[in-house]
Amino acid sequence: MATLAQQIVNGLVLGALIGLIALGYTMVYGIIKLINFAHGEVFMAGAFGAHFTSVYLLPDGVPWYVALPVLCVAAVAASVTVAVLMERLAYRPLRDAHRLAPLITALGVSILLQEVVRVFYPGATAPLPFPRVFFDSQLVVGSTIVLWTGVLAVAVSPLLAAALHLYVERSRLGRAMRAVAEDADTARLMGIDLNRVILATFVLGAVLAGLGAVLYGIHYGQIDTAMGFQNGIFAFTAAVLGGIGSIRGAMLGAFCIGMVKSLAGQYAWGGAQYDYVWVFVLLILVLMFRPQGFLGRPEGVRA
């Protein structure tokens, strides 16, 4: 039971972190039907932006309650910058092209960003230690160990998802996003600026990815150039599992994947070496019986 409780805690933390990345995938696809495989690198850029600020800009001895907000701002700034450049330079010129063109472009942008950071960031050819800018202690409940960084991730991630959901539902820009997602041509005729709405979607996803990058770094203690691709695969799977285009579905799918990966790594055949396999087995099973995902809506075919 002690091992089971520990794995459940680990799964919840992983799900919370994956969920913040999955929100960016589900929003971009919901608005412009683009699977942005480079969104994981937006997450990675945020982590390295925070690392750069900590190592080269923040003086020594800064208390955690000052350092943590500063790193969050730096990570968000780096992620948003990358996302805006990505949208303006790579995706906007291909908006009216065949869907395959932006998909291939997204893969190219993903590889490009990984290589740029690996080649030009000092020491990025190997994993880099991330500063511990939060309580470097743990909460012990019986025989279960819970890091305070994990508590922070599990508490913050659903709150950010709820805030995003309320913003999309109740704000003027959120209503414009939903209109574009429903019918982009009609939304344009009604006076909605598609470029502004799409750019705002990328920015919102990047903000969440940047915050998630800081939470990831302080919890796991290191970052690398592959972190975006690895966690991006999980995040995209979570978005599909929960119903791509659904904010609540993305979070639900992320927690499901976190739990499956953690528990399968401990109890399933093959152990940790095959935990990826069980994640995708879950995805296949769900899509066989519910192709739209947990909370997604079936897409109707227009005449």
Side-chain angles (χ1 to χ4, degrees):
M1 291 301 295
T3 302
L4 175 62
Q6 187 65 62
Q7 293 303 319
I8 290 174
V9 169
N10 295 341
L12 289 174
V13 174
L14 178 60
L17 296 172
I18 290 174
L20 291 177
I21 313 172
L23 292 172
Y25 277 100
T26 203
M27 286 186 63
V28 170
Y29 183 85
I31 299 296
I32 59 174
K33 301 298 183 289
L34 167 67
I35 301 174
N36 181 18
F37 281 118
H39 186 65
E41 278 57 54
V42 174
F43 168 76
M44 181 266 293
F48 278 90
H51 184 272
F52 179 88
T53 301
S54 174
V55 173
Y56 298 105
L57 300 181
L58 273 182
D60 295 334
V62 176
W64 72 267
Y65 50 83
V66 175
L68 183 58
V70 170
L71 294 193
C72 286
V73 171
V76 167
S79 293
V80 169
T81 300
V82 170
V84 169
L85 291 175
M86 184 188 304
E87 194 278 330
R88 293 295 299 272
L89 301 178
Y91 298 145
R92 188 174 296 187
L94 299 174
R95 190 163 301 158
D96 297 324
H98 189 276
R99 285 190 181 185
L100 190 60
L103 179 63
I104 295 174
T105 300
L107 293 172
V109 171
S110 173
I111 296 171
L112 173 66
L113 290 173
Q114 289 183 53
E115 290 303 304
V116 166
V117 174
R118 185 184 65 83
V119 171
F120 293 103
Y121 194 90
T125 53
L128 295 173
F130 197 86
R132 295 282 189 177
V133 288
F134 196 60
F135 296 118
D136 194 14
S137 58
Q138 56 195 26
L139 176 67
V140 180
V141 181
S143 57
T144 304
I145 299 174
V146 185
L147 298 177
W148 282 110
T149 52
V151 175
L152 179 66
V154 174
V156 168
S157 181
L159 289 177
L160 290 174
L164 176 64
H165 177 74
L166 289 175
Y167 182 78
V168 171
E169 289 293 323
R170 299 186 180 182
S171 70
R172 183 175 181 179
L173 181 58
R175 289 193 296 271
M177 289 178 178
R178 288 186 283 122
V180 172
E182 188 71 27
D183 192 320
D185 293 331
T186 302
R188 184 189 293 113
L189 293 174
M190 297 298 292
I192 294 176
D193 187 341
L194 294 186
N195 288 333
R196 176 174 173 267
V197 170
I198 293 170
L199 184 61
T201 304
F202 275 84
V203 168
L204 285 174
V207 169
L208 295 173
L211 295 175
V214 174
L215 294 174
Y216 180 96
I218 63 175
H219 182 72
Y220 290 109
Q222 68 177 26
I223 59 174
D224 58 66
T225 56
M227 63 184 286
F229 180 79
Q230 294 170 350
N231 290 286
I233 291 295
F234 284 136
F236 172 67
T237 306
V240 174
L241 188 65
I244 195 160
S246 169
I247 293 174
R248 291 177 297 176
M251 291 303 299
L252 177 60
F255 279 110
C256 287
I257 285 178
M259 296 299 293
V260 168
K261 185 176 185 301
S262 181
L263 294 175
Q266 182 67 37
Y267 298 108
W269 175 80
Q273 293 181 336
Y274 288 86
D275 53 5
Y276 279 62
V277 173
W278 296 111
V279 167
F280 290 104
V281 166
L282 172 65
L283 176 65
I284 292 169
L285 289 175
V286 170
L287 295 183
M288 284 175 60
F289 298 99
R290 190 173 174 82
Q292 69 269 31
F294 291 137
L295 302 180
R297 295 181 302 173
E299 292 190 10
V301 179
R302 296 181 181 178

